Amino acid sequence: MSLITSTFEKAFGNNYPELRQLLVEFGEVKSFKKGDFIISEGEAAQGFYWVLKGGAKVSIQTKTKKEQIVTFLSPADFVGISAVMEKHLHNKSAFVLSDEAEVLFIAQQDFYTFLQRHPKVVLPLLKHIEEKIERIEKRAAQIMRTTIEQRLVYVFIMLQKKFGCDENGFLEFQLSPKDLANFIGTTRTTVYRVLRKLQENHIVNSDHKRVQILESNRLQEMLIQHAT
């Protein structure tokens, strides 16, 4: 079974046959290394991408030229769809953080040619966009109501759920203190301080390069306590 087929079945099962046909027949597998841009903010959209392997951060540049991370990509996530559908420039960047990544590229012209014959293919893509917007809005609302410590806890839970941990509990997808700060809206100094507190309580372990989850249940409890 190809990586395209296995990723699709894990994400969609036997649903959306038109989307499956589009990806299998017109998709071009592209490989990226850590530090590569999949798409760059401000560039013309040539097509959209579907992640098969690895992970990336999606970010925008604020008016003050500061990076703001809005979400992360993992296998079965799309990026660049809205720019292709609206035929405008990409309004965000996708930057590879894993050691390597494989993504499926669907050229804009191929997409529109296929769309004319199979209009139903747009339904799961629009659903994906709507779900992504809803997740981002929900996270933004949650962050506004929580402390910096709880925001960092949320990120660790999210990364553990989205990418998993190795046999020793280290997050498979590691973020630098700078990326953590840009995601939760704080400074690296504050991230270091909160990490130290979590380590002192034996909830996580960190050498500022890798984060090891020691007590998943206690991380969950910290969020539950806030919600109640």
Side-chain angles (χ1 to χ4, degrees):
M1 182 183 296
S2 71
L3 185 56
I4 298 172
T5 301
S6 62
T7 303
F8 187 90
E9 290 185 356
K10 287 179 182 178
F12 302 108
N14 294 320
N15 300 316
Y16 310 122
E18 294 86 2
L19 177 59
R20 181 174 185 150
Q21 183 181 351
L22 171 67
L23 297 174
V24 171
E25 293 186 7
F26 294 94
E28 175 189 356
V29 177
K30 296 193 174 191
S31 297
F32 294 89
K33 298 294 184 182
K34 187 174 184 177
D36 290 342
F37 281 93
I38 299 175
I39 61 173
S40 295
E41 186 174 357
E43 73 176 7
Q46 303 297 320
F48 63 87
Y49 296 84
W50 187 53
V51 181
L52 297 171
K53 178 182 178 182
K57 64 180 178 180
V58 177
S59 62
I60 59 174
Q61 197 172 58
T62 67
K63 292 180 180 180
T64 59
K65 303 300 180 181
K66 182 179 179 181
E67 180 190 45
Q68 176 63 58
I69 298 175
V70 294
T71 191
F72 296 94
L73 301 175
S74 60
D77 282 335
F78 291 93
V79 66
I81 298 175
S82 58
V84 168
M85 288 185 173
E86 298 175 19
K87 297 184 178 179
H88 60 47
L89 304 179
H90 288 298
N91 59 4
K92 54 187 172 290
S93 297
F95 183 85
V96 177
L97 292 179
S98 54
D99 290 336
E100 58 182 7
E102 290 188 11
V103 299
L104 199 67
F105 174 69
I106 305 295
Q108 182 171 266
Q109 185 56 54
D110 288 338
F111 171 67
Y112 276 101
T113 299
F114 189 87
L115 181 61
Q116 291 176 350
R117 292 183 284 117
H118 305 281
K120 285 186 178 180
V121 74
V122 77
L123 297 178
L125 298 178
L126 290 175
K127 182 180 179 182
H128 177 83
I129 293 173
E130 182 180 0
E131 289 175 347
K132 181 180 291 186
I133 292 173
E134 185 176 342
R135 288 197 303 269
I136 292 173
E137 290 177 340
K138 183 178 179 180
R139 195 202 85 233
Q142 183 181 32
I143 283 178
M144 291 295 292
R145 301 192 302 267
T146 57
T147 65
I148 297 297
E149 182 180 79
Q150 289 161 334
R151 295 179 198 180
L152 196 57
V153 165
Y154 167 81
V155 174
F156 292 151
I157 292 173
M158 180 270 293
L159 292 177
Q160 184 180 33
K161 181 178 180 181
K162 198 173 181 66
F163 298 97
C165 294
D166 66 15
E167 64 275 10
N168 295 315
F170 286 98
L171 291 171
E172 292 283 4
F173 192 79
Q174 297 287 341
L175 297 180
S176 69
K178 179 181 179 181
D179 283 333
L180 288 169
N182 288 341
F183 187 48
I184 65 177
T186 188
T187 64
R188 276 179 285 183
T189 301
T190 302
V191 167
Y192 289 135
R193 176 177 56 79
V194 175
L195 275 173
R196 282 197 303 271
K197 182 178 179 181
L198 293 174
Q199 287 185 94
E200 289 168 359
N201 291 324
H202 306 291
I203 298 174
V204 305
N205 187 34
S206 173
D207 58 7
H208 303 314
K209 292 183 179 180
R210 296 195 303 167
V211 173
Q212 181 185 29
I213 305 299
L214 301 177
E215 294 286 349
S216 294
N217 290 339
R218 291 181 66 185
L219 288 176
Q220 295 285 353
E221 288 170 2
M222 291 177 71
L223 290 186
I224 293 173
Q225 288 170 0
H226 168 74
T228 56

